[in-house]
């Protein structure tokens, strides 16, 4: 799909099996920031990702959810990924979704090739946030993507992330998301 400078297509992949998880809410905030910058967006949330079968390279007849994810990734001009930090790395749910992208290998746009990927990690503990961010960046590199220079980590155990209205409690948290999304959008709209 050719790029449209006026309206790039940005997808979000992330969350947990729990609808409305902190990582999913944060990914939605990032997609909203992309929309404010003129993007068309699509969310592949945790509950959607939970419908993906465990990746098996021997299976050649994908289920509709796999086809939808693969089509979305191949059409995307940029990608946002949000994962919880589980035991120092990305969650199994997110890793399975990323492994499923092997289905794009033979297409015209394999994996995340030539696209910026913004990374968001939500983890209870700063150490888990750092190691998970590093793990996620490594997987993105393996999938031929360009992790943005700025990755976002949030530690909800250090303080409340969202207010009662659903906005960020701290302006700096919103600014981090805006900066990272701006990098994805800048890459997505380059000539």
């Amino acid at each position: 799909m050719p790029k449209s400078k006026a309206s790039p297509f940005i997808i979000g992949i992330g969350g947990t099996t729990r609808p409305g998880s902190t990582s999913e809410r944060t990914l939605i905030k990032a997609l909203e920031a992309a929309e404010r910058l003129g993007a068309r967006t699509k969310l592949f949330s945790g509950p959607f990702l939970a419908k993906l079968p465990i990746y098996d390279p021997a299976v050649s007849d994908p289920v509709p959810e796999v086809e939808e994810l693969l089509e979305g990734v191949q059409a995307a001009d940029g990608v946002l990924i949000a994962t919880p930090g589980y035991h120092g790395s990305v969650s199994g749910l997110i890793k399975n979704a990323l492994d499923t992208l092997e289905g794009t290998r033979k297409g015209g746009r394999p994996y995340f090739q030539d696209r910026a990927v913004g990374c968001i990690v939500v983890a209870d503990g700063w150490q888990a946030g750092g190691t998970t961010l590093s793990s996620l960046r490594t997987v993105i590199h393996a999938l031929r993507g360009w992790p943005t220079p700025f990755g976002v980590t949030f530690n909800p155990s250090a303080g409340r992330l969202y207010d009662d209205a659903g906005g960020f409690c701290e302006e700096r948290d919103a600014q981090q998301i805006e900066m990272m999304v701006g990098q994805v959008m800048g890459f997505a709209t380059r000539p």
Side-chain angles (χ1 to χ4, degrees):
M1 178 176 190
K3 263 195 237 193
S4 168
K5 289 176 104 178
S7 184
F9 181 49
I10 307 297
I11 63 166
I13 301 170
T16 70
T17 56
R18 181 175 51 87
S21 68
T22 306
S23 55
E24 183 176 305
R25 290 172 65 190
T26 306
L27 179 58
I28 290 169
K29 291 287 185 197
L31 289 170
E32 289 170 353
E35 289 170 0
R36 286 191 298 277
L37 293 173
R40 295 171 294 116
T41 66
K42 181 169 182 160
L43 172 65
F44 292 98
S45 67
F48 173 89
L49 299 176
K51 295 176 186 174
L52 299 174
I54 297 296
Y55 173 68
D56 180 352
V59 174
S60 61
D61 191 19
V63 299
E65 290 83 7
V66 169
E67 290 178 349
E68 185 177 348
L69 176 64
L70 298 181
E71 288 170 6
V73 168
Q74 288 190 308
D77 297 308
V79 180
L80 302 169
I81 299 175
T83 183
Y86 289 164
H87 307 111
S89 190
V90 300
S91 70
L93 182 73
I94 300 304
K95 183 64 168 76
N96 185 57
L98 296 174
D99 289 343
T100 299
L101 300 184
E102 185 63 21
T104 66
R105 182 171 57 95
K106 294 180 181 172
R109 292 183 86 189
Y111 313 116
F112 295 136
Q113 185 164 319
D114 299 326
R115 282 160 288 174
V117 182
C119 303
I120 302 166
V121 174
V122 179
D124 284 333
W126 292 117
Q127 182 173 343
T131 59
T132 302
L133 180 60
S134 179
S135 295
L136 183 56
R137 287 175 183 248
T138 298
V139 173
I140 292 166
H141 277 288
L143 292 170
R144 303 181 194 171
W146 300 83
T148 55
F150 191 78
V152 178
T153 60
F154 291 120
N155 178 2
S157 66
R160 195 168 170 211
L161 191 55
Y162 292 103
D163 60 27
D164 292 336
F168 284 110
C169 288
E170 301 291 335
E171 180 60 27
R172 70 175 182 262
D173 294 338
Q175 290 170 347
Q176 288 183 72
I177 290 293
E178 303 256 344
M179 179 184 296
M180 183 266 303
V181 169
Q183 291 174 351
V184 171
M185 289 290 290
F187 201 88
T189 58
R190 77 194 190 292

